[in-house]
């Protein structure tokens, strides 16, 4: 036997049970998104290199899987395509390509693999599924609220309980910086540091605000402490002093109002600062008991589609961290899909094939013994390994009188019935 | 607006209706394969370059999409990975990787994209879905028959009618060459030429057999004419003179016997010569009215898994040309998936969001107007464009008394009901 080659680093082979589990999860989320009137979109696995170049920033660009030119151009050593890094750049490209043919607003979801040459580690893969939902072409707060509710329904349908949407707004955060007299030019950097509160703590954040962002220590400490307190009332009161802050709070409040059906599962969370600086309006992250980090996130990003090479259109969207959820849920028991009926083979192959056909036409999952052993014991072992509900025996005795013996693999009971009655009998047994 | 970038050459963006149509077709075929006890397998989009190198022959190797090494190695201009070219090499690799964890025999199907840098042309793409079904680890003729029946059921489920399996056997063909005293060493070349009968005709085939394969003209003409006659009785009689030929005919006859339920939809077709020389037993191609070329094909290829780097195991399998079928069927009408309920927005957003949630929890597909127009006419236009079954109006009049107006978009009828009764009313209307 040749040396066993492995799947490429950071990728996975999905065997039967895992494929079924994943497909079911993707179908569950699709159904929810469809109920919200979102349509599926599928783009190619790769894009032209110029479509992705400069769209992801320096660090992310290093993680692109680039495809070498082909034929006589291969020797150049140069790439001209790159595997999809996310679903957002392809979305912007599609709006540019198909603009007029798309509904307006364009509400689409995408559930499919993306590829990133990250260093593989526990729970981080180079090929993984992203699950995105976006509305392009609407400034309505209802569009934001729909995304939030669709994400919430999606999480619930996936069996995630006790989750909470933490809502904030880029405008509110910028207003807060105004209140602390921090210049807009260093705002993104200050927010990037504040995003680390959970990770490194109040003191370290204050220090970084001074050392790296150039704030006065007194301002840095007050800001870090006020945010760390995570007191919506306190921040709300502060924001009243800034027009920008009030506008941001209005965005947050409108979103809370329009998603009132989520009750306490959605809250204003002043210290929730998303790292990505392309958001322009309300932003949110979803945390849940039993899951480290965020399991879903999103927000409004009115400038992004144009930045990514599409037309200038308002947009909002979010995504569910479905790989993370699948990984945690993987710990739970998976029910293996067995055969409904296993057919043993002791001669009479032609009649058995015909019987198999009739069973399958009733929707039963039927396997026929394909090994070379003529021993019944060995064939029953195979039926057991395939988790068969019933096994059919059709030996010389049965063949002589046109009957089959049906063994119930749970109870061990055996019944003998005419071949012609076997489909009814088995279909009933599987249904029960 | 930025210049519209296109999808890469030879690839396609699939918009809503097309995604739904394709997904439904793939699900249909999956269900059939599952009924036969086949399990899904999903492998990564790419494999290590050494896994695919030397597996496809010179010409096909030119068509691989190779992925450039990353990070500091990118400058080398060398690839280390290649996009999946088919599902067969990954299958052989998986058997090597996961051998002990797989059921024996291993019956798997794979429905997913493969990538080939072919020159794009009408109906030929660089990213397209292959639909494969294979049984590895069984020499039983039942395994071959199962594949044939699964392919037949799959085609039928896809709506392909009047198809016919043309069956032959590599052994029978080799036996036939023996009967004509053609040396085994040039057999594959002779068969490759005979495979062109349909394309270039009897005379041209005879000429090529002489010019390129070195046969005597008298032998070449007899062989070409005998095969072109497509007379099973004639060939059967000839094969009786060769042990190899008899063995091949026995393979064909056993397959016909075990697939008797297909009736006249499966026949021995002596002139059916598949080009690929890795087949070792029964082989078949499926032709159907309205479809040019073969729409499915397969056979037994006992040596292939080892050749492709896996362990030495017997195997048989086939595939459905699902892209070809989808392309032909694409001409038929597609029913667009519209909204069940379109909610217009004339104030009252919070109540509307709550109503939307209740409608969705009944499984209805609900869209809310996300534009900026306050004019009802404009919003009804939107509902029409979204192919809505019902439109809900909730203007100031309705809000004042807690009612909604429901417009049936087919009949134009309007009904006014209390908001609380709207979900029942609409769910009933959509069901009817």
């Amino acid at each position: 036997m040749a040396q066993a080659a492995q799947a490429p680093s950071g990728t996975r082979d999905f065997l039967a049970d895992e494929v079924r589990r994943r497909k079911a999860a993707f179908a569950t989320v699709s159904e929810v998104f469809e109920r919200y009137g979102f349509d599926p979109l599928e783009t190619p696995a790769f894009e032209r290199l110029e479509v992705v170049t400069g769209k992801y920033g320096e660090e992310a660009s290093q993680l692109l899987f680039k495809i070498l030119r082909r034929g006589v151009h291969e020797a150049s050593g140069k790439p001209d395509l790159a595997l999809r890094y996310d679903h957002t750049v392809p979305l912007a490209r599609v709006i540019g390509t198909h603009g007029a043919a798309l509904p307006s607003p364009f509400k689409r979801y995408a559930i499919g693999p993306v590829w990133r040459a990250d260093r593989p580690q526990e729970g981080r893969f180079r090929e993984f599924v992203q699950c995105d939902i976006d509305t392009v072409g609407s400034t309505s707060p209802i569009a934001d609220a729909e995304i939030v509710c669709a994400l919430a329904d999606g999480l619930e349908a996936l069996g995630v309980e006790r989750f909470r949407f933490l809502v904030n707004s880029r405008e509110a955060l910028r207003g807060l910086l105004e209140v602390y007299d921090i210049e807009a030019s260093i705002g993104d950097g200050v927010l990037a540091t504040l995003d680390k509160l959970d990770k490194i703590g109040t003191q370290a954040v204050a220090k970084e605000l001074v050392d790296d962002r150039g704030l006065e220590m007194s301002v840095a400490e007050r800001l870090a402490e006020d945010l760390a307190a995570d007191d919506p009332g306190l921040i709300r009161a502060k924001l009243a002093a800034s027009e920008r802050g009030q506008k941001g709070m209005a965005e947050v409040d409108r979103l809370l109002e329009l998603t009132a059906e989520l009750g306490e599962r959605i809250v204003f969370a002043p210290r929730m600062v998303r790292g990505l600086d392309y958001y322009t309006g309300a932003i949110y992250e979803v945390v849940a008991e039993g899951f480290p980090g965020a399991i879903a996130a999103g927000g409004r990003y009115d400038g992004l589609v144009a930045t990514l090479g599409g037309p200038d259109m308002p947009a909002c969207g979010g995504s569910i961290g479905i790989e993370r959820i699948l990984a945690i849920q993987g710990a739970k028991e998976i029910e293996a899909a067995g055969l409904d009926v296993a057919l043993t083979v002791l001669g009479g192959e032609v009649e058995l094939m015909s019987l198999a056909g009739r069973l399958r036409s009733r929707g039963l999952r039927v396997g026929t013994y394909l090994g070379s052993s003529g021993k019944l014991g060995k064939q029953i072992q195979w039926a057991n390994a395939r988790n068969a509900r019933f096994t059919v025996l059709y030996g010389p005795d049965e063949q002589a009188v046109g009957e089959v013996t049906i063994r119930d693999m749970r109870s061990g009971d055996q019944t003998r019935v005419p071949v012609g009655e076997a489909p009814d009998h088995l279909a009933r047994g599987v249904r029960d």
Side-chain angles (χ1 to χ4, degrees), chain A:
Chain A
M1 178 175 147
Q3 201 193 328
Q6 301 295 314
S9 171
T11 69
R12 295 164 285 180
D13 293 318
F14 296 112
L15 303 184
D17 295 342
E18 198 58 17
V19 174
R20 290 201 185 93
R21 195 168 76 94
R22 293 170 64 85
K23 275 173 98 170
F26 303 152
T28 296
V29 176
S30 298
E31 269 169 42
V32 169
F33 292 170
E34 292 272 347
R35 283 211 293 273
Y36 280 81
F38 287 81
D39 284 323
L41 171 68
E42 280 183 17
T43 63
F46 46 71
E47 293 284 343
R48 292 178 201 275
L49 195 58
E50 64 259 35
V51 168
V52 301
T53 300
K55 302 293 163 55
Y56 293 113
E58 188 56 36
E59 204 177 327
S61 292
Q62 297 294 321
L63 304 184
L64 288 172
F65 281 102
K66 296 177 189 163
I67 297 173
L68 205 52
R69 301 185 66 189
R70 292 149 302 285
V72 294
H73 306 293
E74 182 175 329
S76 73
K78 299 287 180 210
D80 63 344
L81 302 166
L83 288 184
R84 194 161 69 198
Y85 179 87
D86 63 14
H87 293 306
T88 313
V89 164
L91 170 62
R93 203 260 308 142
V94 161
I95 291 169
T97 313
H98 303 277
L102 303 174
S104 172
F106 183 45
K107 293 169 59 174
R108 84 88 180 83
Y109 66 90
I111 302 176
V114 301
W115 294 270
R116 297 182 181 182
D118 252 318
R119 192 177 296 277
Q121 57 185 54
E122 180 69 25
R124 190 202 278 167
F125 298 98
R126 292 181 154 195
E127 174 180 72
F128 61 98
V129 166
Q130 278 198 341
C131 172
D132 282 18
I133 175 172
D134 296 89
T135 296
V136 179
S138 171
T139 55
S140 169
I142 297 179
D144 298 81
E146 263 188 1
I147 302 261
V148 165
C149 292
L151 294 174
D153 281 1
L155 292 170
E156 207 167 297
L158 286 170
V160 179
E161 288 150 21
R162 300 166 171 276
F163 56 80
R164 222 152 59 115
F165 278 76
L166 308 177
V167 181
N168 206 340
S169 132
R170 293 294 288 196
E171 280 299 279
L173 286 163
R174 291 210 182 89
L176 192 68
L177 300 187
E178 278 181 16
V179 171
Y180 288 85
D181 286 325
I182 295 165
E183 280 178 39
S185 61
I186 61 165
D188 283 342
V190 169
L191 291 178
T193 296
L194 289 172
D195 192 21
K196 301 184 186 171
L197 266 174
D198 284 333
K199 239 183 262 174
I200 63 175
T202 313
Q203 287 317 308
V205 161
K207 188 166 183 307
E208 187 176 312
L209 287 175
V210 173
D211 294 350
D212 296 2
R213 311 302 179 186
L215 299 199
E216 302 265 331
M217 181 50 96
S218 63
V219 175
E221 278 182 340
R222 250 192 312 135
L223 176 56
E225 281 165 16
D226 286 353
L227 261 196
D230 206 22
D231 176 351
L234 171 72
I235 301 296
R236 217 176 254 282
K238 297 244 173 213
L239 287 177
S242 151
E243 203 175 310
R244 189 160 223 172
Q246 285 176 45
K247 181 167 166 281
M249 275 315 301
E251 289 171 348
V252 169
D253 286 336
R254 188 63 177 150
L255 184 58
L256 295 178
E257 198 176 36
L258 290 173
T259 57
E261 51 179 322
L262 291 178
E264 293 183 351
R265 293 192 293 175
I266 185 163
V267 294
F268 169 46
R271 73 184 269 181
M272 201 285 288
V273 182
R274 305 246 319 132
L276 298 165
D277 51 12
Y278 54 71
Y279 287 107
T280 54
I283 53 180
Y284 40 85
E285 235 175 48
V286 187
V287 293
E289 253 177 48
F291 294 86
I295 53 165
R300 177 163 284 279
Y301 48 88
D302 285 339
L304 189 64
V305 175
T307 307
L308 296 181
D312 187 9
M313 294 172 88
C316 59
S319 64
I320 292 181
I322 195 150
E323 292 277 4
R324 191 172 293 197
I325 293 169
L326 282 166
I328 297 274
Q329 290 181 334
K332 297 182 195 163
E333 184 91 350
I334 300 165
E335 202 178 320
L339 296 175
D340 292 321
V341 181
L343 300 178
T344 58
V345 181
L346 303 160
E349 288 87 349
V350 174
E351 293 80 8
L352 281 171
M353 287 302 290
S354 158
L355 175 59
R358 272 173 289 147
L359 294 171
R360 286 178 184 125
S361 71
R362 289 170 182 246
L364 299 187
R365 189 161 196 244
V366 182
T368 306
Y369 180 70
L370 298 178
S372 53
S373 172
K375 292 189 183 139
L376 185 58
K378 192 107 186 182
Q379 299 200 22
I380 298 274
Q381 260 179 39
W382 158 79
N384 259 323
R386 298 298 292 136
N387 213 358
R389 179 72 189 82
F390 293 99
T391 300
V392 168
L393 282 53
Y394 186 57
D397 286 0
E398 285 94 346
Q399 290 165 38
V401 294
E403 296 185 342
V404 293
T405 300
I406 294 171
R407 180 188 288 209
D408 184 321
M409 300 295 277
R410 280 191 207 143
S411 65
D413 294 347
Q414 298 200 158
T415 326
R416 207 146 142 176
V417 300
V419 174
E421 292 173 20
D424 271 349
H425 191 94
L426 287 162
R428 222 178 306 123
V430 167
R431 239 187 354 258
D432 285 352

